Amino acid sequence: MAWRSSVIGPILVAMVSIFLMIRHTRSEEKKGRLELLNSTAVGRQAALASALITTCGANILMGVLIVLSFIGLGLPWEGSLAMALSMTAFGCLFAAIAGVAVQLTESSSDARYITVAILIAFFLLRTLGWDDGSVVWLSWISPLGWVHHIRAFAGEQWWIFGLFIVLTLVLFVLAYYLSSLRDLGAGILPQRTGPARASFALSSTLGLTWKLQRRMLIFWILGFVIMGIMGGIMAPTVSNIFIDNPQFMNLLSQLVKGAKPVDIFISLMLVLFGQVFAIYGILAVSKLRTEESTNHSEFLLTNAVNRTLWVFYNLFFAFIGLTILLFLFVLSFSISYSLISGDMGQDLPLLLSAALVYLPAILVMVGLTVALFGLIPRLTSLSWVALGLFFIINLLADFFDVNQWILNISPFTHVPNLLVGDTVGWPLILVLVVGLVLIFIGIVGFRRRDIV
């Protein structure tokens, strides 16, 4: 089933491009390293150029691996090439968007918010412009819609790649132009000055952690509440599409016996977003590494702040944030669906349970990030590689009869689908234990190592 690769795949590729670009441009600038480089014979635009080359190169390499893998698995070369090129083009486009965003603001976090907000907007436009809806033209405004209109494995539309090339080149030129206008360390947009005195809440470690985490949490809450509302609005339309297609409905009924079309739809949404929710968890605990690499942690931990509490409070907000995200996503979906369809019979506790069972799998990703941070802090970013690997494993399971031991590597394989009658079993409990053990290893490792 290509639906997962064409929906979640571009989102993950875009996230990788965003983080690579911001890390190698604005973050390096904030740490003062680019100032050292620019004081030598290196040109002013060298950092931006190298970041774009690196990020686009990574996307091209990923595309080569995708097309070789798909052809090697026996899929048609035209569809394989179109799928790989669409991922590469979307990733390069977001490298260009991130290249513009880092010129606008002084903060890496603000650049990240801008680019992720654009990605969410593209997703919403694509969702609103569903192929069989009356506003299908909206999907043509979104590059995510272009990925789907390329129609890999279903009559490829090669000319759409021209849209990607033109928009990406325009954004490349804009990024270089904006970079030439600003001073090193500054952004095009004016920055708001902070208060002259710190609030009372910042006198505690918990208050400081909340201060560091709250903007990201609020941003993600707003994004997923909007997605939940849009999902609820779309649900009746998609359910009718299922019902009007007897062959597809027959296939679904064989896979998920007795489930209502709307339950199947929200199950698909949870499968799609399960790994996206994990991105929030990884970002929340990655704050630990960010604060350490910018030398902020050194000032804290050489005073009265306890190392274990520092990690625990960040984990606390990561876990609470994930719970709130899942709860509000399902609640906004249920309310909007009930208002649109007039069906007030939604089993909200079951929907919430179906969403919250993803927490143990996401906890594994959080635990892996903490373990890497505690043991080998320079390799904390490998958690993104692990998330990509788990995505590929679950994606291949949609296409092929993958060996079960390979599927078992991914924690998301063990998440039961409660909406179609699955129950919580030992595999999910083991996943939870693995997540907790990884967190324990990370905390012990952090307590024993030096701050770097």
Side-chain angles (χ1 to χ4, degrees), residues 177-228:
Y177 175 69
L178 293 177
S179 177
S180 67
L181 294 181
R182 68 179 179 85
D183 293 330
L184 189 66
I188 298 294
L189 300 176
Q191 297 295 300
R192 189 180 61 177
T193 57
R197 292 179 179 274
S199 67
F200 176 76
L202 289 178
S203 61
S204 68
T205 309
L206 182 63
L208 175 62
T209 312
W210 167 242
K211 167 76 174 177
L212 294 173
Q213 297 276 355
R214 67 180 182 185
R215 288 182 64 191
M216 183 174 69
L217 176 58
I218 294 171
F219 178 82
W220 278 75
I221 285 176
L222 289 175
F224 274 95
V225 166
I226 293 173
M227 287 190 188

Side-chain angles (χ1 to χ4, degrees), residues 388-400:
L389 175 65
F390 296 151
F391 167 74
I392 292 172
I393 289 174
N394 294 121
L395 175 65
L396 291 177
D398 290 337
F399 285 97
F400 307 101

Side-chain angles (χ1 to χ4, degrees), residues 228-246:
I229 292 172
M230 297 306 304
I233 294 173
M234 283 181 55
T237 303
V238 178
S239 299
N240 290 333
I241 292 173
F242 289 167
I243 295 170
D244 294 340
N245 189 332

Side-chain angles (χ1 to χ4, degrees), residues 23-36:
R23 178 179 180 182
H24 293 299
T25 52
R26 179 54 68 179
S27 295
E28 294 296 313
E29 195 169 331
K30 193 175 180 182
K31 293 172 185 171
R33 293 173 182 166
L34 291 189
E35 186 175 4
L36 291 176

Side-chain angles (χ1 to χ4, degrees), residues 65-339:
L65 293 175
I66 289 176
V67 71
L68 291 177
S69 301
F70 280 18
I71 292 175
L73 292 169
L75 294 175
W77 71 268
E78 297 94 340
S80 302
L81 183 61
M83 177 65 75
L85 284 177
S86 64
M87 297 285 184
T88 301
F90 197 71
C92 291
L93 175 63
F94 262 87
I97 291 173
V100 173
V102 295
Q103 313 306 326
L104 298 177
T105 174
E106 293 180 7
S107 165
S108 303
S109 299
D110 289 344
R112 203 171 291 123
Y113 293 142
I114 291 172
T115 46
V116 173
I118 292 173
L119 179 60
I120 293 174
F122 285 167
F123 177 81
L124 293 176
L125 285 171
R126 175 66 189 97
T127 304
L128 285 171
W130 192 260
D131 291 347
D132 293 331
S134 58
V135 287
V136 63
W137 58 271
L138 283 175
S139 66
W140 285 98
I141 301 176
S142 165
L144 188 58
W146 302 349
V147 172
H148 301 153
H149 289 304
I150 287 172
R151 298 177 60 83
F153 301 107
E156 293 76 15
Q157 301 295 312
W158 301 102
W159 66 270
I160 295 177
F161 287 109
L163 300 177
F164 277 108
I165 293 171
V166 171
L167 183 56
T168 303
L169 289 178
V170 168
L171 290 170
F172 280 171
V173 173
L174 180 60
Y176 280 108
Y177 175 69
L178 293 177
S179 177
S180 67
L181 294 181
R182 68 179 179 85
D183 293 330
L184 189 66
I188 298 294
L189 300 176
Q191 297 295 300
R192 189 180 61 177
T193 57
R197 292 179 179 274
S199 67
F200 176 76
L202 289 178
S203 61
S204 68
T205 309
L206 182 63
L208 175 62
T209 312
W210 167 242
K211 167 76 174 177
L212 294 173
Q213 297 276 355
R214 67 180 182 185
R215 288 182 64 191
M216 183 174 69
L217 176 58
I218 294 171
F219 178 82
W220 278 75
I221 285 176
L222 289 175
F224 274 95
V225 166
I226 293 173
M227 287 190 188
I229 292 172
M230 297 306 304
I233 294 173
M234 283 181 55
T237 303
V238 178
S239 299
N240 290 333
I241 292 173
F242 289 167
I243 295 170
D244 294 340
N245 189 332
Q247 292 181 330
F248 187 55
M249 195 63 203
N250 182 48
L251 175 63
L252 290 176
S253 62
Q254 291 177 12
L255 295 173
V256 286
K257 295 178 180 177
K260 296 186 295 185
V262 66
D263 290 337
I264 296 172
F265 175 64
I266 192 169
S267 295
L268 294 176
M269 289 189 70
L270 289 175
V271 169
L272 288 173
F273 288 126
Q275 285 149 318
V276 178
F277 284 120
I279 292 174
Y280 171 80
I282 295 174
L283 285 174
V285 293
S286 293
K287 286 276 185 185
L288 291 165
R289 177 57 185 160
T290 303
E291 292 302 309
E292 184 177 357
S293 61
T294 52
N295 297 324
H296 296 164
S297 298
E298 186 176 355
F299 293 109
L300 288 172
L301 300 175
T302 52
N303 289 293
V305 176
N306 182 282
R307 285 194 182 201
T308 304
L309 275 182
W310 178 235
V311 177
F312 176 78
Y313 284 142
N314 279 278
L315 281 169
F316 172 77
F317 283 111
F319 187 76
I320 292 298
L322 283 167
T323 307
I324 293 173
L325 280 177
L326 288 165
F327 178 81
L328 292 180
F329 174 70
V330 172
L331 186 64
S332 57
F333 172 90
S334 182
I335 291 174
S336 61
Y337 173 75
S338 299
L339 293 175

Side-chain angles (χ1 to χ4, degrees), residues 370-423:
V370 175
L372 289 169
F373 166 73
L375 298 175
I376 320 170
R378 295 187 64 181
L379 301 182
T380 305
S381 300
L382 281 182
S383 54
W384 296 111
V385 178
L387 182 63
L389 175 65
F390 296 151
F391 167 74
I392 292 172
I393 289 174
N394 294 121
L395 175 65
L396 291 177
D398 290 337
F399 285 97
F400 307 101
D401 185 18
V402 181
N403 192 297
Q404 187 60 42
W405 74 266
I406 296 178
L407 294 178
N408 289 340
I409 295 174
S410 170
F412 297 95
T413 302
H414 307 285
V415 178
N417 191 341
L418 300 184
L419 294 177
V420 298
D422 291 350
T423 56

